[in-house]
Amino acid sequence: MRAAASAPGKVILFGEHFVVHGAPALVASIDLRAAAIVERAESGGVRLSDGSKDNPAVKAVEHVLRRLGASASLIIEIESRIPQSVGLGSSAALAASSSAAALHLLAGRLDLNLILESSHEGEKIIHYMPSGIDTSIATFGGIGVYARSSGYKKLDIALEEILVVNTGMRRRTGDMVLRVRGFAEREPEQFKQLLDEAGRIIEEGLDALRSRDLERLGMLMSRNQELLRVVGVSSPELEEAIAMCLDAGAYGAKLTGAGGGGCVIAAADPDKMDEIISRISGRFEVFRVRLGVEGVRVERP
Ligand code: PMV
């Protein structure tokens, strides 16, 4: 008795950090997925196949059981192509795929709202107050606007591919969020201007996405990066990765997620991507990712 499911990772195209202070963010699923196989066991409660219990996937599945009013011992086997702790939503994708597989095994259905809620419960053990971006994208997929007040609104937009460069430097989202809060408290007027500019970038970014204008998208990424530099969340490695993308011919690049390390995204002409990748890959891990892919789904175990 086993079931399997997978869920995508995510990138924040525009608006990270400013989203914490009320601005919207533009986010997209990527075609790097995490998968979970959930199998019934005789005893031992819910755990990963290595026996560990203290992680988002287990907590999310325990929440599914509570909501179903069921008790069962389950073993979760996970497999992920999403690099961890670099801002690509790996833990949310594992929580969403594990909850979906458990729900499919125990109730024979997928309830996206329950998967979202369970993944959010799972994420709470690693982020003090997750904004919900990662779990929304892992569950619903696509490209859309996320705001704290209104949640995730999926848009009918497709964008083929962007580049994701992984600096490999892990960092804690919470530390970066506190750094920005410190800036906002020290420089309230300047921060208000940055917040307004972040809002304008989202509007223009939506326009650029709708018209599939990669050059403008790249230019807006570089503008957004400028704001992230000012609030102090860039790093020498991120700047190096951005400079390499631009030198190799990308239209623009920025950090994605919390910053301080983690990943850079770059917009480029699809015909130039292979060349850019070959110039960067000796220094950093680079992915060519498709955006706006399907959210959580059942897979063959
Ligand atoms: O670390 P990530 O990629 O999940 O990104 C965090 C994004 C922030 O805006 C910095 C924080 C948040 O909760 O939205």
Side-chain angles (χ1 to χ4, degrees):
M1 285 280 279
R2 58 209 307 235
S6 74
K10 69 96 182 43
V11 289
I12 300 180
L13 292 170
F14 299 106
E16 52 274 273
H17 284 293
F18 299 101
V19 70
V20 174
H21 299 266
L26 199 48
V27 289
S29 59
I30 55 176
D31 64 343
L32 296 175
R33 299 183 81 84
I37 299 178
V38 174
E39 188 167 11
R40 275 193 191 268
E42 294 285 312
S43 57
V46 181
R47 73 268 192 193
L48 294 190
S49 50
D50 67 3
S52 59
K53 289 181 172 236
D54 205 16
N55 64 72
V58 171
K59 300 295 169 203
V61 169
E62 286 173 347
H63 189 77
V64 169
L65 287 175
R66 271 197 301 279
R67 289 294 307 270
L68 292 177
S71 77
S73 285
L74 300 169
I75 298 175
I76 310 169
E77 199 179 309
I78 56 180
E79 198 187 293
S80 178
R81 286 192 57 221
I82 311 168
Q84 277 175 27
S85 306
V86 289
L88 299 179
S90 127
S91 64
L94 284 169
S97 52
S98 301
S99 347
L103 192 56
H104 189 61
L105 180 70
L106 299 169
R109 64 184 163 91
L110 281 198
D111 170 344
L112 294 183
N113 287 324
L114 176 52
I115 292 168
L116 179 67
E117 182 187 303
S118 306
S119 312
H120 196 73
E121 282 302 310
E123 283 274 274
K124 277 188 190 163
I125 75 162
I126 48 168
H127 291 306
Y128 163 58
M129 256 182 63
S131 71
I133 290 183
D134 291 24
T135 46
S136 299
I137 289 285
T139 305
F140 299 110
I143 297 182
V145 173
Y146 185 90
R148 282 202 105 119
S149 55
S150 48
Y152 178 54
K153 286 208 173 63
K154 207 161 152 176
L155 299 167
D156 189 16
I157 293 180
L159 179 75
E160 272 95 68
E161 288 175 312
I162 58 160
L163 294 173
V164 175
V165 183
N166 180 10
T167 67
M169 308 285 289
R170 294 177 168 209
R171 77 288 175 273
R172 285 161 59 132
T173 299
D175 294 344
M176 294 296 127
V177 170
L178 283 180
R179 191 179 290 184
V180 176
R181 194 206 287 172
F183 181 95
E185 284 167 3
R186 279 193 315 277
E187 306 286 347
E189 263 159 44
Q190 193 186 358
F191 191 70
K192 166 86 179 60
Q193 284 169 11
L194 297 174
L195 206 55
D196 290 345
E197 167 71 351
R200 285 191 291 274
I201 290 174
I202 297 287
E203 289 302 316
E204 292 183 41
L206 277 170
D207 240 30
L209 275 175
R210 287 199 181 98
S211 52
R212 295 187 171 213
D213 185 342
L214 284 169
E215 207 170 329
R216 185 153 171 236
L217 205 66
M219 186 268 289
L220 290 166
M221 283 180 181
S222 298
R223 236 168 86 190
N224 193 157
Q225 174 63 19
E226 188 52 48
L227 307 185
L228 292 162
R229 265 182 209 126
V230 175
V231 296
V233 293
S234 195
S235 74
E237 293 78 15
L238 288 165
E239 292 300 329
E240 184 187 351
I242 290 169
M244 286 181 92
C245 290
L246 299 179
D247 281 354
Y251 291 133
K254 64 181 274 293
L255 68 86
T256 184
C263 292
V264 158
I265 52 172
D269 183 333
D271 292 338
K272 277 209 176 151
M273 282 189 178
D274 284 342
E275 193 201 319
I276 299 175
I277 290 171
S278 72
R279 284 181 51 184
I280 295 177
S281 56
R283 170 74 178 102
F284 296 115
E285 181 181 29
V286 197
F287 301 92
R288 182 173 179 158
V289 301
R290 215 151 49 78
L291 297 182
V293 302
E294 196 185 349
V296 72
R297 67 174 182 228
V298 169
E299 303 280 358
R300 238 178 239 265

